[in-house]
Amino acid sequence: MPPAAQTLEAVQMQMRHRSSGVLLRTIVIGLTAFLTLVDLFATQAILPSLTRAYGVTPAAMGFAVNASTMGMAISGLVVSLFSRYINRRRGILVSLVLLSIPTALLATAPDLMIFTALRIVQGLCMASAFTLTLAHLGEECSDMDADGAFAAYITGNVASNLVGRLIAAAVVDHFGLASNFYFFAAINLAGAVLVYYTVAHTTPMAHTGIVSASPFAAWIEHLRNPRLRAAFGVGFCILFAFIGTFTFVNFVLVRPPLSLGMMQLGFVYLVFLPSIVTTVLAGRTVRHLGTRPTLCGSLGLAGIALPLLLLSNLSAVLIGLVLVGVGTFFAQSVATSFVSRAATGDRGAASGMYLSSYFTGGLVGTAVLGQTFDRFGWAACVAGIALSLATAALLTFRLTSVRQTAQISKAM
């Protein structure tokens, strides 16, 4: 065989090997996200059942279920402080093993206060695994691969929203509330097993850019970066809008005139199915259009869908939920990747700060929109969601594109 042909064949084999390696890595990243975050939103699918079981109002139960975001906000900040000292693999593994404990204990929570406390502990464990995984991806992936890796991780998050809700609705419908939490505890342990076998052989974590003298100095450094401040605000608004939509729409769906049953309510969350496909495209879209246009477009898509949620027609409401899901998940993927690229040092701290802001938005959204829903109804709640999306869109004008950020980082 001529030397040129041998070279060509070697290059083709190398490309096929790299392609299969990228596919495997994408699947593993998506599965890790799925098994890490499946507890976060799955419980929303059984909100009406929990409300009846504990004999409380929708706002009270909605706050208790979403109290996990409080734990996630706290954990994001703590991990951001000590990120550089934490072994990524060991930290993710321990977090997922510990997560199974409060998940199982939820099955026997005697009152709403203990239920809320256990959800907060769940959030602490989920966010530590989430933050360390994002930091790991930012440090281990090249600039070319980073957007795709983050998109795969957020896609796993989307899948956890869909499959987790379906599983929760089905298990509760057939086996009761307690069985649901035992089942999800087993899923948490499955995530730990996946991490044990797939994150076992990683290279040492590399610090890029400026390494701050102290963890608090890293916070100050990131807060001085106007691009990061804006990204933190965008994250806050994204989960504020998402939780406001997908928490309180449950109560709209089970009430007249829609009057869905528990299993029907579970199938409603097939609305997340398109997001699994579209979110994968986030990295490619950013490379072609830039960060700001992509974020504005995805937030606008979610915004124009909101009037459909006010109609008394199930098909219209489902279309609206599809568009809100596609828009917010796409925006989350773009913003998450942007933070890792815009940080000039200690990416673990930057990821933790972003996630803390993101989950604080979810907690505030639950509290504010829950009271709005109870006192003024669904239309007022949707208006609050629209205001949050509009605020996020305004904040995107403080962001530079991914390409510009990379150029700025190199110049520094």
Side-chain angles (χ1 to χ4, degrees), residues 190-237:
V193 171
L194 177 68
V195 170
Y196 180 82
Y197 284 106
T198 60
V199 193
H201 304 290
T202 57
T203 57
M205 296 299 113
H207 291 297
T208 57
I210 302 168
V211 179
S212 303
S214 72
F216 290 105
W219 280 10
I220 295 171
E221 176 191 334
H222 293 320
L223 289 174
R224 284 175 176 169
N225 187 331
R227 299 187 301 278
L228 286 178
R229 290 200 305 270
F232 298 158
V234 169
F236 180 98
C237 293

mmCIF file of all heavy atoms in Angstrom, residues 190-237:
data_model
loop_
_atom_site.group_PDB
_atom_site.id
_atom_site.type_symbol
_atom_site.label_atom_id
_atom_site.label_comp_id
_atom_site.label_asym_id
_atom_site.label_seq_id
_atom_site.Cartn_x
_atom_site.Cartn_y
_atom_site.Cartn_z
ATOM 1 N N ALA A 190 -27.370 4.035 41.851
ATOM 2 C CA ALA A 190 -26.957 3.670 40.489
ATOM 3 C C ALA A 190 -26.059 4.749 39.894
ATOM 4 O O ALA A 190 -25.093 4.451 39.173
ATOM 5 C CB ALA A 190 -28.186 3.452 39.610
ATOM 6 N N GLY A 191 -26.344 6.017 40.210
ATOM 7 C CA GLY A 191 -25.485 7.110 39.756
ATOM 8 C C GLY A 191 -24.095 7.014 40.345
ATOM 9 O O GLY A 191 -23.095 7.257 39.658
ATOM 10 N N ALA A 192 -24.012 6.645 41.620
ATOM 11 C CA ALA A 192 -22.704 6.476 42.257
ATOM 12 C C ALA A 192 -21.907 5.364 41.587
ATOM 13 O O ALA A 192 -20.692 5.486 41.378
ATOM 14 C CB ALA A 192 -22.894 6.187 43.748
ATOM 15 N N VAL A 193 -22.572 4.277 41.242
ATOM 16 C CA VAL A 193 -21.896 3.165 40.562
ATOM 17 C C VAL A 193 -21.363 3.626 39.203
ATOM 18 O O VAL A 193 -20.227 3.301 38.819
ATOM 19 C CB VAL A 193 -22.870 1.973 40.388
ATOM 20 C CG1 VAL A 193 -22.249 0.900 39.487
ATOM 21 C CG2 VAL A 193 -23.237 1.381 41.745
ATOM 22 N N LEU A 194 -22.173 4.395 38.463
ATOM 23 C CA LEU A 194 -21.739 4.908 37.153
ATOM 24 C C LEU A 194 -20.491 5.763 37.294
ATOM 25 O O LEU A 194 -19.522 5.615 36.540
ATOM 26 C CB LEU A 194 -22.863 5.699 36.498
ATOM 27 C CG LEU A 194 -22.518 6.352 35.158
ATOM 28 C CD1 LEU A 194 -22.311 5.285 34.083
ATOM 29 C CD2 LEU A 194 -23.592 7.337 34.717
ATOM 30 N N VAL A 195 -20.494 6.674 38.262
ATOM 31 C CA VAL A 195 -19.337 7.543 38.475
ATOM 32 C C VAL A 195 -18.105 6.720 38.863
ATOM 33 O O VAL A 195 -16.991 6.982 38.391
ATOM 34 C CB VAL A 195 -19.653 8.600 39.562
ATOM 35 C CG1 VAL A 195 -18.390 9.344 39.980
ATOM 36 C CG2 VAL A 195 -20.704 9.572 39.054
ATOM 37 N N TYR A 196 -18.293 5.714 39.703
ATOM 38 C CA TYR A 196 -17.177 4.883 40.152
ATOM 39 C C TYR A 196 -16.459 4.240 38.970
ATOM 40 O O TYR A 196 -15.219 4.165 38.938
ATOM 41 C CB TYR A 196 -17.692 3.806 41.100
ATOM 42 C CG TYR A 196 -16.613 2.893 41.628
ATOM 43 C CD1 TYR A 196 -15.824 3.272 42.721
ATOM 44 C CD2 TYR A 196 -16.362 1.659 41.024
ATOM 45 C CE1 TYR A 196 -14.832 2.440 43.202
ATOM 46 C CE2 TYR A 196 -15.364 0.822 41.508
ATOM 47 C CZ TYR A 196 -14.603 1.218 42.591
ATOM 48 O OH TYR A 196 -13.606 0.393 43.060
ATOM 49 N N TYR A 197 -17.223 3.798 37.963
ATOM 50 C CA TYR A 197 -16.619 3.077 36.842
ATOM 51 C C TYR A 197 -16.237 3.970 35.663
ATOM 52 O O TYR A 197 -15.432 3.570 34.823
ATOM 53 C CB TYR A 197 -17.570 1.977 36.354
ATOM 54 C CG TYR A 197 -17.598 0.774 37.273
ATOM 55 C CD1 TYR A 197 -18.687 0.541 38.102
ATOM 56 C CD2 TYR A 197 -16.529 -0.110 37.324
ATOM 57 C CE1 TYR A 197 -18.713 -0.556 38.955
ATOM 58 C CE2 TYR A 197 -16.538 -1.212 38.175
ATOM 59 C CZ TYR A 197 -17.630 -1.429 38.985
ATOM 60 O OH TYR A 197 -17.646 -2.508 39.840
ATOM 61 N N THR A 198 -16.794 5.170 35.579
ATOM 62 C CA THR A 198 -16.527 6.000 34.396
ATOM 63 C C THR A 198 -15.641 7.203 34.672
ATOM 64 O O THR A 198 -15.074 7.774 33.744
ATOM 65 C CB THR A 198 -17.842 6.495 33.763
ATOM 66 O OG1 THR A 198 -18.557 7.277 34.726
ATOM 67 C CG2 THR A 198 -18.695 5.335 33.298
ATOM 68 N N VAL A 199 -15.526 7.626 35.918
ATOM 69 C CA VAL A 199 -14.682 8.775 36.224
ATOM 70 C C VAL A 199 -13.446 8.316 36.997
ATOM 71 O O VAL A 199 -12.816 9.073 37.698
ATOM 72 C CB VAL A 199 -15.478 9.842 37.033
ATOM 73 C CG1 VAL A 199 -14.736 11.169 37.094
ATOM 74 C CG2 VAL A 199 -16.863 10.061 36.415
ATOM 75 N N ALA A 200 -13.129 7.028 36.844
ATOM 76 C CA ALA A 200 -12.026 6.447 37.625
ATOM 77 C C ALA A 200 -10.662 6.874 37.116
ATOM 78 O O ALA A 200 -9.720 6.989 37.879
ATOM 79 C CB ALA A 200 -12.132 4.927 37.609
ATOM 80 N N HIS A 201 -10.534 7.101 35.829
ATOM 81 C CA HIS A 201 -9.215 7.363 35.244
ATOM 82 C C HIS A 201 -9.203 8.735 34.595
ATOM 83 O O HIS A 201 -9.262 8.879 33.383
ATOM 84 C CB HIS A 201 -8.866 6.295 34.207
ATOM 85 C CG HIS A 201 -8.928 4.912 34.759
ATOM 86 N ND1 HIS A 201 -8.022 4.437 35.677
ATOM 87 C CD2 HIS A 201 -9.810 3.899 34.539
ATOM 88 C CE1 HIS A 201 -8.322 3.181 35.991
ATOM 89 N NE2 HIS A 201 -9.401 2.843 35.319
ATOM 90 N N THR A 202 -9.141 9.766 35.405
ATOM 91 C CA THR A 202 -9.071 11.129 34.902
ATOM 92 C C THR A 202 -7.694 11.699 35.199
ATOM 93 O O THR A 202 -7.029 11.310 36.156
ATOM 94 C CB THR A 202 -10.136 12.026 35.561
ATOM 95 O OG1 THR A 202 -9.950 11.972 36.982
ATOM 96 C CG2 THR A 202 -11.533 11.578 35.209
ATOM 97 N N THR A 203 -7.292 12.646 34.367
ATOM 98 C CA THR A 203 -6.021 13.321 34.620
ATOM 99 C C THR A 203 -6.197 14.293 35.774
ATOM 100 O O THR A 203 -7.313 14.690 36.091
ATOM 101 C CB THR A 203 -5.584 14.089 33.360
ATOM 102 O OG1 THR A 203 -6.631 15.003 33.005
ATOM 103 C CG2 THR A 203 -5.336 13.152 32.210
ATOM 104 N N PRO A 204 -5.120 14.696 36.437
ATOM 105 C CA PRO A 204 -5.248 15.646 37.539
ATOM 106 C C PRO A 204 -5.918 16.930 37.078
ATOM 107 O O PRO A 204 -5.727 17.374 35.951
ATOM 108 C CB PRO A 204 -3.781 15.905 37.951
ATOM 109 C CG PRO A 204 -3.054 14.699 37.484
ATOM 110 C CD PRO A 204 -3.738 14.258 36.221
ATOM 111 N N MET A 205 -6.684 17.540 37.984
ATOM 112 C CA MET A 205 -7.392 18.761 37.646
ATOM 113 C C MET A 205 -6.380 19.877 37.406
ATOM 114 O O MET A 205 -5.499 20.137 38.223
ATOM 115 C CB MET A 205 -8.334 19.177 38.784
ATOM 116 C CG MET A 205 -9.447 18.185 39.043
ATOM 117 S SD MET A 205 -10.529 17.959 37.619
ATOM 118 C CE MET A 205 -10.169 16.278 37.193
ATOM 119 N N ALA A 206 -6.563 20.563 36.279
ATOM 120 C CA ALA A 206 -5.634 21.649 35.952
ATOM 121 C C ALA A 206 -6.265 22.984 36.272
ATOM 122 O O ALA A 206 -7.402 23.236 35.906
ATOM 123 C CB ALA A 206 -5.276 21.586 34.466
ATOM 124 N N HIS A 207 -5.537 23.852 36.952
ATOM 125 C CA HIS A 207 -6.020 25.195 37.201
ATOM 126 C C HIS A 207 -5.652 26.054 36.010
ATOM 127 O O HIS A 207 -4.507 26.087 35.586
ATOM 128 C CB HIS A 207 -5.375 25.792 38.459
ATOM 129 C CG HIS A 207 -5.837 25.112 39.709
ATOM 130 N ND1 HIS A 207 -7.142 25.132 40.134
ATOM 131 C CD2 HIS A 207 -5.149 24.384 40.638
ATOM 132 C CE1 HIS A 207 -7.260 24.462 41.279
ATOM 133 N NE2 HIS A 207 -6.061 23.998 41.592
ATOM 134 N N THR A 208 -6.615 26.764 35.482
ATOM 135 C CA THR A 208 -6.345 27.614 34.333
ATOM 136 C C THR A 208 -6.497 29.065 34.738
ATOM 137 O O THR A 208 -7.314 29.415 35.584
ATOM 138 C CB THR A 208 -7.331 27.313 33.196
ATOM 139 O OG1 THR A 208 -8.664 27.499 33.692
ATOM 140 C CG2 THR A 208 -7.173 25.890 32.706
ATOM 141 N N GLY A 209 -5.738 29.934 34.122
ATOM 142 C CA GLY A 209 -5.869 31.351 34.402
ATOM 143 C C GLY A 209 -5.299 31.701 35.759
ATOM 144 O O GLY A 209 -4.373 31.105 36.288
ATOM 145 N N ILE A 210 -5.901 32.712 36.396
ATOM 146 C CA ILE A 210 -5.422 33.230 37.659
ATOM 147 C C ILE A 210 -5.922 32.358 38.798
ATOM 148 O O ILE A 210 -7.107 32.043 38.883
ATOM 149 C CB ILE A 210 -5.916 34.677 37.860
ATOM 150 C CG1 ILE A 210 -5.441 35.550 36.692
ATOM 151 C CG2 ILE A 210 -5.447 35.246 39.184
ATOM 152 C CD1 ILE A 210 -6.094 36.899 36.643
ATOM 153 N N VAL A 211 -5.011 31.956 39.706
ATOM 154 C CA VAL A 211 -5.415 31.227 40.893
ATOM 155 C C VAL A 211 -5.441 32.205 42.059
ATOM 156 O O VAL A 211 -4.419 32.770 42.430
ATOM 157 C CB VAL A 211 -4.454 30.060 41.201
ATOM 158 C CG1 VAL A 211 -4.881 29.338 42.466
ATOM 159 C CG2 VAL A 211 -4.404 29.105 40.018
ATOM 160 N N SER A 212 -6.589 32.439 42.657
ATOM 161 C CA SER A 212 -6.738 33.432 43.702
ATOM 162 C C SER A 212 -6.042 32.971 44.979
ATOM 163 O O SER A 212 -5.881 31.786 45.231
ATOM 164 C CB SER A 212 -8.226 33.680 43.965
ATOM 165 O OG SER A 212 -8.873 34.082 42.787
ATOM 166 N N ALA A 213 -5.662 33.940 45.834
ATOM 167 C CA ALA A 213 -4.963 33.629 47.067
ATOM 168 C C ALA A 213 -5.849 32.911 48.065
ATOM 169 O O ALA A 213 -5.373 32.157 48.899
ATOM 170 C CB ALA A 213 -4.416 34.916 47.679
ATOM 171 N N SER A 214 -7.147 33.148 48.041
ATOM 172 C CA SER A 214 -8.076 32.506 48.962
ATOM 173 C C SER A 214 -9.381 32.246 48.238
ATOM 174 O O SER A 214 -9.663 32.852 47.208
ATOM 175 C CB SER A 214 -8.325 33.406 50.173
ATOM 176 O OG SER A 214 -9.131 34.516 49.780
ATOM 177 N N PRO A 215 -10.220 31.346 48.791
ATOM 178 C CA PRO A 215 -11.512 31.088 48.155
ATOM 179 C C PRO A 215 -12.367 32.338 48.032
ATOM 180 O O PRO A 215 -13.040 32.545 47.020
ATOM 181 C CB PRO A 215 -12.151 30.056 49.097
ATOM 182 C CG PRO A 215 -11.002 29.392 49.786
ATOM 183 C CD PRO A 215 -9.974 30.467 49.934
ATOM 184 N N PHE A 216 -12.346 33.193 49.086
ATOM 185 C CA PHE A 216 -13.154 34.415 49.018
ATOM 186 C C PHE A 216 -12.617 35.370 47.954
ATOM 187 O O PHE A 216 -13.371 36.118 47.339
ATOM 188 C CB PHE A 216 -13.185 35.101 50.387
ATOM 189 C CG PHE A 216 -13.983 34.357 51.417
ATOM 190 C CD1 PHE A 216 -13.347 33.650 52.417
ATOM 191 C CD2 PHE A 216 -15.369 34.335 51.360
ATOM 192 C CE1 PHE A 216 -14.070 32.944 53.365
ATOM 193 C CE2 PHE A 216 -16.109 33.630 52.297
ATOM 194 C CZ PHE A 216 -15.458 32.932 53.304
ATOM 195 N N ALA A 217 -11.298 35.348 47.745
ATOM 196 C CA ALA A 217 -10.715 36.166 46.682
ATOM 197 C C ALA A 217 -11.220 35.715 45.321
ATOM 198 O O ALA A 217 -11.401 36.530 44.408
ATOM 199 C CB ALA A 217 -9.196 36.095 46.738
ATOM 200 N N ALA A 218 -11.467 34.394 45.172
ATOM 201 C CA ALA A 218 -12.020 33.882 43.916
ATOM 202 C C ALA A 218 -13.426 34.441 43.694
ATOM 203 O O ALA A 218 -13.784 34.822 42.578
ATOM 204 C CB ALA A 218 -12.061 32.350 43.942
ATOM 205 N N TRP A 219 -14.222 34.514 44.760
ATOM 206 C CA TRP A 219 -15.560 35.112 44.642
ATOM 207 C C TRP A 219 -15.452 36.561 44.161
ATOM 208 O O TRP A 219 -16.163 36.969 43.243
ATOM 209 C CB TRP A 219 -16.255 35.095 46.005
ATOM 210 C CG TRP A 219 -16.858 33.797 46.391
ATOM 211 C CD1 TRP A 219 -16.715 32.586 45.774
ATOM 212 C CD2 TRP A 219 -17.719 33.566 47.513
ATOM 213 N NE1 TRP A 219 -17.410 31.617 46.438
ATOM 214 C CE2 TRP A 219 -18.034 32.190 47.512
ATOM 215 C CE3 TRP A 219 -18.222 34.375 48.523
ATOM 216 C CZ2 TRP A 219 -18.859 31.617 48.474
ATOM 217 C CZ3 TRP A 219 -19.041 33.814 49.493
ATOM 218 C CH2 TRP A 219 -19.359 32.442 49.466
ATOM 219 N N ILE A 220 -14.571 37.308 44.813
ATOM 220 C CA ILE A 220 -14.428 38.727 44.459
ATOM 221 C C ILE A 220 -13.981 38.874 43.018
ATOM 222 O O ILE A 220 -14.477 39.720 42.268
ATOM 223 C CB ILE A 220 -13.422 39.408 45.420
ATOM 224 C CG1 ILE A 220 -13.992 39.411 46.845
ATOM 225 C CG2 ILE A 220 -13.119 40.827 44.964
ATOM 226 C CD1 ILE A 220 -12.998 39.847 47.902
ATOM 227 N N GLU A 221 -13.023 38.032 42.639
ATOM 228 C CA GLU A 221 -12.524 38.082 41.254
ATOM 229 C C GLU A 221 -13.650 37.848 40.252
ATOM 230 O O GLU A 221 -13.783 38.580 39.260
ATOM 231 C CB GLU A 221 -11.442 37.021 41.074
ATOM 232 C CG GLU A 221 -10.898 36.901 39.656
ATOM 233 C CD GLU A 221 -10.029 35.661 39.504
ATOM 234 O OE1 GLU A 221 -9.459 35.204 40.510
ATOM 235 O OE2 GLU A 221 -9.939 35.160 38.362
ATOM 236 N N HIS A 222 -14.502 36.845 40.512
ATOM 237 C CA HIS A 222 -15.594 36.536 39.584
ATOM 238 C C HIS A 222 -16.669 37.617 39.597
ATOM 239 O O HIS A 222 -17.241 37.937 38.552
ATOM 240 C CB HIS A 222 -16.198 35.179 39.917
ATOM 241 C CG HIS A 222 -15.269 34.027 39.678
ATOM 242 N ND1 HIS A 222 -14.428 33.962 38.579
ATOM 243 C CD2 HIS A 222 -15.039 32.883 40.396
ATOM 244 C CE1 HIS A 222 -13.732 32.835 38.631
ATOM 245 N NE2 HIS A 222 -14.077 32.177 39.719
ATOM 246 N N LEU A 223 -16.935 38.190 40.767
ATOM 247 C CA LEU A 223 -17.967 39.234 40.854
ATOM 248 C C LEU A 223 -17.523 40.537 40.199
ATOM 249 O O LEU A 223 -18.355 41.362 39.836
ATOM 250 C CB LEU A 223 -18.340 39.479 42.314
ATOM 251 C CG LEU A 223 -19.145 38.348 42.981
ATOM 252 C CD1 LEU A 223 -19.327 38.630 44.468
ATOM 253 C CD2 LEU A 223 -20.504 38.176 42.299
ATOM 254 N N ARG A 224 -16.218 40.707 40.051
ATOM 255 C CA ARG A 224 -15.719 41.891 39.347
ATOM 256 C C ARG A 224 -15.869 41.753 37.834
ATOM 257 O O ARG A 224 -15.732 42.738 37.112
ATOM 258 C CB ARG A 224 -14.242 42.114 39.694
ATOM 259 C CG ARG A 224 -14.022 42.705 41.076
ATOM 260 C CD ARG A 224 -12.536 42.788 41.382
ATOM 261 N NE ARG A 224 -12.285 43.438 42.677
ATOM 262 C CZ ARG A 224 -11.120 43.461 43.297
ATOM 263 N NH1 ARG A 224 -10.064 42.856 42.724
ATOM 264 N NH2 ARG A 224 -10.989 44.066 44.451
ATOM 265 N N ASN A 225 -16.112 40.556 37.385
ATOM 266 C CA ASN A 225 -16.262 40.290 35.951
ATOM 267 C C ASN A 225 -17.702 40.581 35.546
ATOM 268 O O ASN A 225 -18.618 39.862 35.936
ATOM 269 C CB ASN A 225 -15.912 38.820 35.675
ATOM 270 C CG ASN A 225 -15.885 38.491 34.196
ATOM 271 O OD1 ASN A 225 -16.588 39.106 33.398
ATOM 272 N ND2 ASN A 225 -15.101 37.493 33.831
ATOM 273 N N PRO A 226 -17.961 41.647 34.780
ATOM 274 C CA PRO A 226 -19.349 42.020 34.447
ATOM 275 C C PRO A 226 -20.071 40.951 33.629
ATOM 276 O O PRO A 226 -21.293 40.794 33.747
ATOM 277 C CB PRO A 226 -19.194 43.314 33.644
ATOM 278 C CG PRO A 226 -17.788 43.295 33.132
ATOM 279 C CD PRO A 226 -16.993 42.569 34.165
ATOM 280 N N ARG A 227 -19.314 40.179 32.830
ATOM 281 C CA ARG A 227 -19.943 39.115 32.055
ATOM 282 C C ARG A 227 -20.478 38.025 32.977
ATOM 283 O O ARG A 227 -21.574 37.502 32.777
ATOM 284 C CB ARG A 227 -18.943 38.536 31.050
ATOM 285 C CG ARG A 227 -18.430 39.556 30.039
ATOM 286 C CD ARG A 227 -17.574 38.906 28.965
ATOM 287 N NE ARG A 227 -16.417 38.215 29.524
ATOM 288 C CZ ARG A 227 -15.271 38.814 29.865
ATOM 289 N NH1 ARG A 227 -15.156 40.129 29.733
ATOM 290 N NH2 ARG A 227 -14.267 38.120 30.345
ATOM 291 N N LEU A 228 -19.689 37.683 34.000
ATOM 292 C CA LEU A 228 -20.136 36.659 34.934
ATOM 293 C C LEU A 228 -21.300 37.142 35.788
ATOM 294 O O LEU A 228 -22.242 36.386 36.058
ATOM 295 C CB LEU A 228 -18.974 36.215 35.832
ATOM 296 C CG LEU A 228 -17.911 35.331 35.170
ATOM 297 C CD1 LEU A 228 -16.801 35.008 36.157
ATOM 298 C CD2 LEU A 228 -18.538 34.045 34.638
ATOM 299 N N ARG A 229 -21.265 38.398 36.228
ATOM 300 C CA ARG A 229 -22.387 38.935 37.012
ATOM 301 C C ARG A 229 -23.683 38.838 36.222
ATOM 302 O O ARG A 229 -24.730 38.438 36.749
ATOM 303 C CB ARG A 229 -22.128 40.391 37.409
ATOM 304 C CG ARG A 229 -21.044 40.583 38.447
ATOM 305 C CD ARG A 229 -21.195 41.947 39.133
ATOM 306 N NE ARG A 229 -21.206 43.052 38.183
ATOM 307 C CZ ARG A 229 -20.124 43.707 37.779
ATOM 308 N NH1 ARG A 229 -18.922 43.344 38.233
ATOM 309 N NH2 ARG A 229 -20.214 44.717 36.928
ATOM 310 N N ALA A 230 -23.616 39.199 34.955
ATOM 311 C CA ALA A 230 -24.810 39.107 34.118
ATOM 312 C C ALA A 230 -25.262 37.665 33.945
ATOM 313 O O ALA A 230 -26.464 37.364 33.994
ATOM 314 C CB ALA A 230 -24.537 39.739 32.749
ATOM 315 N N ALA A 231 -24.304 36.750 33.772
ATOM 316 C CA ALA A 231 -24.649 35.333 33.602
ATOM 317 C C ALA A 231 -25.299 34.775 34.864
ATOM 318 O O ALA A 231 -26.251 33.985 34.787
ATOM 319 C CB ALA A 231 -23.399 34.530 33.254
ATOM 320 N N PHE A 232 -24.810 35.187 36.043
ATOM 321 C CA PHE A 232 -25.431 34.749 37.287
ATOM 322 C C PHE A 232 -26.886 35.220 37.348
ATOM 323 O O PHE A 232 -27.773 34.482 37.787
ATOM 324 C CB PHE A 232 -24.660 35.295 38.496
ATOM 325 C CG PHE A 232 -23.234 34.816 38.602
ATOM 326 C CD1 PHE A 232 -22.303 35.535 39.337
ATOM 327 C CD2 PHE A 232 -22.812 33.651 37.960
ATOM 328 C CE1 PHE A 232 -20.983 35.101 39.447
ATOM 329 C CE2 PHE A 232 -21.497 33.209 38.053
ATOM 330 C CZ PHE A 232 -20.581 33.946 38.799
ATOM 331 N N GLY A 233 -27.121 36.457 36.920
ATOM 332 C CA GLY A 233 -28.486 36.985 36.909
ATOM 333 C C GLY A 233 -29.380 36.243 35.928
ATOM 334 O O GLY A 233 -30.556 35.981 36.218
ATOM 335 N N VAL A 234 -28.831 35.890 34.776
ATOM 336 C CA VAL A 234 -29.595 35.124 33.788
ATOM 337 C C VAL A 234 -29.999 33.772 34.373
ATOM 338 O O VAL A 234 -31.145 33.331 34.240
ATOM 339 C CB VAL A 234 -28.772 34.934 32.494
ATOM 340 C CG1 VAL A 234 -29.445 33.922 31.569
ATOM 341 C CG2 VAL A 234 -28.607 36.262 31.772
ATOM 342 N N GLY A 235 -29.050 33.106 35.034
ATOM 343 C CA GLY A 235 -29.360 31.817 35.654
ATOM 344 C C GLY A 235 -30.469 31.934 36.680
ATOM 345 O O GLY A 235 -31.372 31.087 36.734
ATOM 346 N N PHE A 236 -30.416 32.963 37.517
ATOM 347 C CA PHE A 236 -31.462 33.210 38.516
ATOM 348 C C PHE A 236 -32.834 33.292 37.846
ATOM 349 O O PHE A 236 -33.795 32.646 38.276
ATOM 350 C CB PHE A 236 -31.153 34.515 39.254
ATOM 351 C CG PHE A 236 -32.155 34.901 40.309
ATOM 352 C CD1 PHE A 236 -31.909 34.618 41.643
ATOM 353 C CD2 PHE A 236 -33.332 35.566 39.974
ATOM 354 C CE1 PHE A 236 -32.822 34.985 42.631
ATOM 355 C CE2 PHE A 236 -34.256 35.927 40.942
ATOM 356 C CZ PHE A 236 -34.002 35.635 42.279
ATOM 357 N N CYS A 237 -32.918 34.062 36.785
ATOM 358 C CA CYS A 237 -34.204 34.282 36.108
ATOM 359 C C CYS A 237 -34.699 33.029 35.387
ATOM 360 O O CYS A 237 -35.917 32.790 35.320
ATOM 361 C CB CYS A 237 -34.079 35.438 35.111
ATOM 362 S SG CYS A 237 -33.801 37.044 35.889
#
